[in-house]
Amino acid sequence: MSYPRVRFRAYLLLRSLVAAVCAVLLAVGAVPVASAAAPAPRTPKRCDEWAKLTGNPSKPGTLPVGNETRVKSAWDTYDYVNQRQSMDGLAAPTPDDLLKAGTDPDVWKEGDPRKVYASYNRRQTTSRPYTGTFQDWLNDAYIENAARRTRGEAFHKKVVQDLNLVGPDWLCEVDIDVKDADGKVIRRLYDAVNHKTKEFVEIKSGGAVDDTQVPKDRQVLKDPRFKDYSLRYVFGQEPEASTTTRLRGLSTGAGQHPDGKSRVTAYQHRSTPVVRFTPGPHTKFDPTLNPNPQANSGSRGGLNDMLNQSKPTPESMRQQMERIRQGDPTGQRLRGPGGVDFSTLELRFVGAPVRGEGLDYSFTAEKMPDPDTNPGFGGQEQAQLISDSFFTWLALTPEKFWVNLNPDEPQRVMDAQFGKTDAGRVLLEADLQMKHDFVAAMNPKTELGRQFWDENQLTNGLPCLHGIRNWIEPEPAQVREQDGGIYILDAPLKVNSVPQEFDFDLPGDPCKPTKAQIEHNQKIVEKLIVPAVEKKISQDPAYAELRRVYTSRVAAEWIRLQDANKATDYHTIINSGDVSKWPIRGEKWDFNETWQQYLKSFRDGDYKFEWEAGGQVYVYTMGGVDFSKSPKENVSTQKFTAEHQYLPRSTRTSVQTMTDDAESDDLLLLGGNTRAKPTTGDAGTPPGGGGSDDPPAGGGGGGLPITGDSVPVPVLVCVALALILAGAALTWRSRRRRRIFVS
C-alpha cells in the first residue's frame, strides 16, 4: 500500500516544480521564441467544404479577368452575428465600476457590463492606452473588432458560393511561403488559391487593404514559381482611393501577362453586411422621427450606427479617423461616418405609419471622396434638425409655415410659435440669405450683373429699378407612393419675383419708372436674376438646411394625410400646437435679431455702385419663404420603374444598415425604424468572447483577423505545463483506479 503514497508525493513534487517555473516565467517575462522554427503551413481545405456548401456544387466558376464591378441588379446583402452591438449604449464606467470589473474580461459573461469595463480596464493599462472617449473605444474597438471575424468570414463564404469557387482545385485558407532577397521566409495567407488556373484570391468585406499584406503580395508575385499567377482582390464595397492607388502600384511592379492583361485586378462583389443581434438593456436608441422615445426604445438602424460615431467638428472627426486607422491594420473597416457628407443629409423615404408598428425611414447623403484626410462630421446635428423639423411640421398647422422680411411689416415677421423652432429659424435665415444673393447677382462687377444692367431701361440716363418682392416657395415635389410609403424623388424650390412698392424712407434720390419700364425691367429680373438665385438655392451649401427641412416637410405632410384616414402614432402630435419638445438647438436665437440685420441691410443697401453717367445706384429687395403648401406630383409606375428600378431594394436595405445607392455612385442611403425592429439572429457569444478589443498585430491573413485575446508567452508555457501535469495526474489516477479494481 506504500506505492500510491510514493506516487502521490512525486505528483506533489512535480506540481510544485511547475508552479515554481510558472512563477519565474511570469516574473521575468516572455520566453524567447526568435530561434523557434516557423510553424508548418496549415493544411488547406476545399473551399466548398470550408464554406460548408450543401447540395451538388455546380461547375467551378472563375473570377473576372479585369477590374470589374458586380452588375447592379445583383447587389444584395448578407448577415453576420455580433451580439456586442447590443452594448453600444453602455454608459461610461465610474472608478468604482472599473474597480469591480477588474482586468480579466473572461470571468464575466457576454452582455454583462463588467465584461466591457474589464476589457477597457485592460486596454488602458497597456503601453498604448486608447486616447479617445470610452464611447469611441466601445464602438470602434470593442464592438467593431468583434465584428471583423464574423463579417469577414461571412463575406468570404458568400464569395465562394456566389462565384462557385468549388471543386478540388479551389482551396481556401492557403499559406504561401516565399523568400525575400535576404533569404528570409515570408508567409502569405490567401483566402482562396487555384493552382490549376494560377490564381491567388484575397477577399475583403470592406474597401480597404491590409498594410501588412501588400508587401507580401509583392514578394509572392516576384517569386519565379508564381510568375504566371494572377492576384485577384475581391471587395464587398467600393475600394477607397488609397486602396486603388496601392493596388495600381502593386500591379505596375508585378507586370503583365504575355497577353497584356494585368496580373493584379480588383473585383467589386458589391454586397452590404447586416449585423444580427438581440437588443438588450444597454442598446442605444435615438429619437429620430420617433413620436415617443423612451429609455429602452426608439429609432435604430444604419443612420443610428453612423450617428453614434460621428463627431461634431472636422478636427475631432479627423482624430477619430486616425484612431480607427491605427486600430485596423488588417484593412477590414467598412465605410464609417467619416465617409458620409452629413451636410447633404436629407429624408427621402418614410414607410407606412401603422400604429404600434413603427415607421421605416431612409435618408440620403453624399459620399466624402477622401474620408481619411477630409472626413464628414456633424451627423447628429443634421439628423436632429431633420427630425425636429418633421415634428414641427406636424405639430403646427400649415398656415403658420411662412416668414416675411418686409420693411413695412415689422409686426409680421413670422408666427411666434414657429419662431421657437429650428424649422422657423432656417426659413428666416434662408430668406435673408436669398435677399443678399439676389442683389449680389445684380452686381455690375460680375458678368451677369453687367448684362442685367445693360438690358434695363434707363430713367434720365440712370438705372431706375423698381421695388421688388421675392420669396421662396415649393415647386411640386416628385414622389412615388409605393411599398406602403412615399419616396421623395425630388423636392425643388422656386423663387417668385414681383414688383412691389413700399413706404419705407430710403436714402438717395427717388426715381419714378413708368409702368412700361417696370414691366420691361421685371422681365429682365425674371430672365436673368431669378434663375441664378434658384440654382444657388438648389445647390449651394448655404441653403442645405433649407433643402433639408423642406424634404421633411413633404414627408410630414404625407404622414398628416395618412393619419387623417386612420390614427397613427403621430396622432396626438398633429395640430397640437405644442413644439416644446423640439426647441431651437445650440446658441440662443431670436428672430428679431435677424429682422434687425435685414432692416440694416435694406436701409443701407447691400452695396451701391457708381454709374458711368454719374450718380449712385442703390439696390433694395424684400423677401419671404412660404412653406404653407406642400404640393406633390406622384410619378407613374412606368417612370418610377424605368428611372429608379433599384431604389426600393436599396431603401429596404438602408432601414437595416448603410448602403450604397445603386443609382448614383456619389450617394449613400441610411435609415432605420422608429420602434427599432431588431435584426435578431443567432446571437451567441461572438468570436473573441474572451474580451479582446484590439486586432492582432501583423494581421491574420485572408482578411479574417483574430478577435480573441493575445495571451503572453509565459501564460502559454504555464498553461502547457499545467496541461501536462493534469494529463500526468489523470493517467496516474486512471492507473491507480485500474490497479485497485484488479486487486
Side-chain angles (χ1 to χ4, degrees), residues 506-528:
L506 295 172
D509 296 328
C511 65
K512 296 292 185 180
T514 65
K515 181 179 179 181
Q517 288 174 325
I518 291 175
E519 291 177 354
H520 172 84
N521 292 345
Q522 180 64 29
K523 288 180 181 179
I524 306 304
V525 168
E526 295 170 8
K527 183 181 76 169
L528 298 178

Side-chain angles (χ1 to χ4, degrees), residues 344-348 362-366 661 667-670:
T344 64
L345 192 70
E346 292 185 16
L347 180 61
R348 290 294 179 174
S362 180
F363 293 72
T364 61
E366 294 180 7
D661 182 1
L667 284 182
L668 297 165
L669 278 74
L670 56 170

Side-chain angles (χ1 to χ4, degrees), residues 223-257:
D223 192 289
R225 294 173 298 162
F226 307 121
K227 62 183 177 64
D228 296 330
Y229 278 63
S230 296
L231 172 59
R232 316 286 196 201
Y233 267 84
V234 179
F235 295 99
Q237 289 187 340
E238 179 183 13
E240 299 173 1
S242 58
T243 295
T244 301
T245 299
R246 299 200 68 178
L247 292 187
R248 188 182 297 119
L250 183 62
S251 177
T252 300
Q256 299 177 328
H257 289 292

Side-chain angles (χ1 to χ4, degrees), residues 18-56:
V18 169
V21 170
C22 285
V24 171
L25 288 172
L26 290 171
V28 174
V31 174
V33 295
S35 59
R42 71 192 71 196
T43 302
K45 289 185 178 181
R46 285 177 44 151
C47 287
D48 44 19
E49 295 177 354
W50 174 84
K52 298 179 181 179
L53 300 184
T54 58
N56 297 317

Side-chain angles (χ1 to χ4, degrees), residues 404-407 410 413 425-436 439 504 506 587-607 619-623:
N404 175 51
L405 291 176
N406 186 323
V413 177
R425 173 189 61 80
V426 167
L427 262 63
L428 193 64
E429 290 180 347
D431 186 15
L432 181 58
Q433 182 65 43
M434 183 264 292
K435 184 264 181 189
H436 292 317
V439 296
F504 198 84
L506 295 172
E587 296 182 5
K588 185 178 180 181
W589 181 85
D590 186 342
F591 69 82
N592 285 306
E593 293 180 6
T594 303
W595 160 255
Q596 292 299 328
Q597 293 174 26
Y598 166 71
L599 198 60
K600 182 179 185 305
S601 174
F602 189 87
R603 180 186 295 112
D604 299 339
D606 266 29
Y607 61 86
V619 180
Y620 304 98
T621 64
M622 291 170 285

Side-chain angles (χ1 to χ4, degrees), residues 278-289:
T278 301
H282 304 291
T283 303
K284 184 174 183 177
F285 302 94
D286 70 55
T288 304
L289 305 187

Side-chain angles (χ1 to χ4, degrees), residues 624-644:
V625 180
D626 187 356
F627 280 2
S628 60
K629 295 180 180 179
S630 179
K632 67 179 186 293
E633 179 180 310
N634 201 27
V635 303
S636 66
T637 301
Q638 294 78 6
K639 183 177 181 180
F640 183 74
T641 302
E643 298 180 2
H644 305 283

